[in-house]
Structure formats: structure tokens, C-alpha cells
Amino acid sequence: MKILLLDKNHPLITEQLLAKNFVLEEDFTSSYDEVCRKIEHYDGIIIRSRIPLDKNFLEKGKNLKFIARVGAGMENIDIPVAGKLGIQLINSPEGNRDSVAEHVVGMLLILMNRLFIASQEVKNGIWKREENRGDELLGKTVGLIGYGNMGKATAKRFSGFGCKVIFHDILPGLSDEYASQVSVEELKQSADILSLHIPLTSETHYIIDEKFISEMKKDFYFVNTARGKNIETKYLVEALKSGKVKGACLDVLEYEKASFENLEHENEDLQYLLESEKTIVTPHIAGWTHQSKEKLAQVIVDKIIERFAG
């Protein structure tokens, strides 16, 4: 099988697939149109997010048998068209679930205990104790939206902090030793912390909007390591200003490019998020540890070899 690699990834992908007699070609720079012109010559693609694999692209890939995305989200791929064309879709959420879960907890600890603010103050000769009192995770109810790989790994971490963890998911029967499945209504009634662990689809686009925020019974902390467009940012900013949202930890932003490599545009809402003491903002790196880079690649390789080797 001939595979086109469209993004740089861990070298183990190349090493292990070559050892299994796959034919590999790397192309990390060609434009969408340039790749479209040659895609018919390949049996498979390995990609992160560099270019969109839309209907036009997939129909030109007449010999494509699979697309492997090194990561979790598949919104950059026209999934229905791929299904109609018989193209198998492979992703690797198992590879970065632990790094995402640790990032969620890490951001909350920094925010709730004012660690970054207090550290910067001391480094600038300011010694404030009363003003920097923290807020404990112990005893908080954490509400997760989505209970796949990321949600489960996150629930496991929170359970170790003495939190009650509840979640809502479109699939039934997912409760386990770390978290209990509840309705959206019950989650809104109980959660002190709301954390998103869902893909970006037509159903989850702006799932957190003005109405959702207003229906949360408690003032709450908000965490998003999923996708920026899962929440309508202007209403998050309004809620931060009013105090309904006590603080926000954002690893993803509504204003990111589809490739996640930078921001598409800036506005007043973004500026508020970047300047507020109520927010922690990171550049889409929750799943981006040294360990996850290797694990993501290994999961992809294992799945390709299992399905297509020999």
C-alpha cells in the first residue's frame, strides 16, 4: 500500500510502517490543490489538520482505502462522503487522553489557587496573602459534557481530588467507578465546574450558549479543551464579567484556524480573555505532551498495521 504523509509526526510512524513494507511518501508543504492533483495515486493518508479533506478532495482520491488522523477530532474530514466512498477513518484519541486530563486539572489548579498571579506578584516584589486565597477542588461537583476517552481520563483525575464527578453523554449506560451519568438538566443543577470533552459537529457547535449558561444553577468554573466553537465566546465573556462564570480555562478558542496553528482573527471578546485575571488561556496544547506525541503515533500505526498489513 502506498501512503501519503501530510504532516510531520513522530518518526516511529515511518520506521514501523516501512518495516511492514508499506510505501511512504512525505509531503508537508504542498497546497490543497497540489495534493488534490496527485491523491488518486495513494491508498492511504496520514494527517493531523493541515488541509481539509472535503468532498472534492475525497472524490479525487479514487484509490483511498483509509485516512488516519493523528489526534482525536475528525471535523476536518467530510465523514459522510468518506463513508459513501468506502474510505475507513482512523483516529487516535487513546494517545492523548492522559495529557488532556492532566491539562484540565493543571489549568484549574492554577486558576482556582491564583498560582500564576501570585507568582508574578512575588517576582515583582509584591507580597499579598489574603488577596490570593485559593478555592479547593475537594468537595466540588465536576460536570463533564462527553464521556469518551478524554472525559473518562479526566473523571479519573478529579476523583482523586475528592470531587463528585457527573457527566452527560448521548450514549447511554456509561457510568463507571469514577463518574455517574446524568441528564443535562441534572448536570446544570449540580455542577460547580463544567468541562467539555466532545467533538465539533453540527449538534455540538455552540452547544454552550447564552441559554445554557443562564440555566446553570450555580456560579461555576468553565474548562474547554475540546473545540473552540463548542462555546459562543461572546456569552462566555458576558458571564465572566457578571460573575456567573467564576473563571475559565481555555485551551481552545473560537477564533482558531482550522489547522489550529494560529488565530484567524481578533476582537474585543478575545482581548478580554487574554487580559482577564479570571482566565487561563493556552495555545491548543492540552493533548500536546512529549509522551502523547509518541502515543498518538503508536496508536495510529497499530491500527493501520492491524487492518492493512499483509
Side-chain angles (χ1 to χ4, degrees):
M1 295 186 74
K2 192 174 182 181
I3 302 174
L4 178 62
L5 288 74
L6 289 171
D7 288 287
K8 291 182 180 179
N9 286 293
H10 196 283
L12 73 81
I13 291 180
T14 301
E15 293 164 5
Q16 295 184 22
L17 290 180
L18 286 174
K20 290 292 182 177
N21 298 315
F22 289 91
V23 178
L24 307 181
E25 181 179 319
E26 297 177 345
D27 185 346
F28 305 146
T29 59
S30 290
S31 68
Y32 169 90
D33 290 334
E34 289 169 334
V35 178
C36 276
R37 285 195 287 270
K38 67 178 183 178
I39 194 59
E40 65 179 312
H41 302 297
Y42 299 92
D43 301 292
I45 297 171
I46 299 177
I47 191 170
R48 287 205 311 266
S49 304
R50 188 165 73 81
I51 59 174
L53 306 187
D54 56 15
K55 183 175 185 291
N56 172 64
F57 184 99
L58 296 176
E59 288 179 343
K60 291 183 184 302
K62 297 175 182 179
N63 294 303
L64 281 178
K65 297 173 180 64
F66 74 86
I67 296 168
R69 186 185 178 242
V70 184
M74 305 287 272
E75 70 271 14
N76 221 32
I77 303 168
D78 192 323
I79 296 173
V81 171
K84 289 177 183 176
L85 295 173
I87 302 170
Q88 291 192 43
L89 300 181
I90 303 168
N91 64 344
S92 52
E94 306 92 336
N96 62 351
R97 60 190 173 192
D98 295 312
S99 61
V100 168
E102 291 187 14
H103 199 90
V104 169
V105 175
M107 285 197 297
L108 271 172
L109 289 173
I110 290 169
L111 180 75
M112 295 171 65
N113 292 284
R114 297 175 60 84
L115 298 181
F116 181 76
I117 295 167
S119 177
Q120 289 300 109
E121 287 177 349
V122 173
K123 289 179 179 181
N124 285 288
I126 301 167
W127 190 271
K128 293 181 179 179
R129 298 184 67 223
E130 185 61 37
E131 295 87 343
N132 284 311
R133 279 191 186 273
D135 191 9
E136 295 179 3
L137 280 172
L138 179 66
K140 297 284 194 298
T141 296
V142 179
L144 309 177
I145 303 290
Y147 206 62
N149 281 281
M150 311 302 174
K152 290 175 183 177
T154 302
K156 184 176 181 179
R157 268 67 176 185
F158 277 121
S159 67
F161 280 86
C163 297
K164 177 182 179 182
V165 186
I166 58 178
F167 68 89
H168 177 74
D169 195 284
I170 58 174
L171 299 176
L174 299 179
S175 294
D176 58 21
E177 61 186 301
Y178 302 115
S180 300
Q181 191 160 7
V182 300
S183 66
V184 174
E185 290 70 28
E186 186 175 342
L187 187 144
K188 290 176 180 176
Q189 284 292 308
S190 303
D192 299 292
I193 297 166
L194 177 65
S195 185
L196 302 187
H197 301 276
I198 48 179
L200 181 62
T201 66
S202 56
E203 288 77 25
T204 64
H205 187 272
Y206 287 164
I207 190 173
I208 309 300
D209 56 12
E210 184 178 28
K211 182 174 184 290
F212 193 108
I213 292 171
S214 69
E215 290 174 349
M216 293 286 288
K217 182 180 179 182
K218 302 177 183 178
D219 296 344
F220 66 99
Y221 294 98
F222 177 72
V223 186
N224 192 7
T225 54
R227 290 293 183 262
K229 290 183 172 64
N230 289 140
I231 182 167
E232 204 161 357
T233 307
K234 63 181 178 180
Y235 297 120
L236 172 62
V237 170
E238 287 180 7
L240 284 164
K241 290 178 178 178
S242 72
K244 181 65 181 178
V245 172
K246 298 165 74 172
C249 301
L250 306 172
D251 182 55
V252 291
L253 294 166
E254 183 180 348
Y255 317 110
E256 287 179 76
K257 290 182 177 180
S259 64
F260 310 136
E261 292 302 314
N262 214 318
L263 296 175
E264 244 176 351
H265 63 273
E266 300 181 13
N267 58 28
E268 290 182 5
D269 291 330
L270 174 61
Q271 203 58 39
Y272 176 85
L273 295 176
L274 298 180
E275 294 175 357
S276 175
E277 288 192 351
K278 292 184 175 183
T279 59
I280 298 290
V281 184
T282 53
H284 205 133
I285 56 169
W288 210 249
T289 60
H290 295 291
Q291 293 79 9
S292 72
K293 182 177 182 180
E294 181 173 351
K295 287 190 283 187
L296 283 166
Q298 191 63 63
V299 169
I300 283 293
V301 167
D302 290 344
K303 289 181 178 180
I304 291 172
I305 290 173
E306 179 185 358
R307 300 182 196 187
F308 299 103

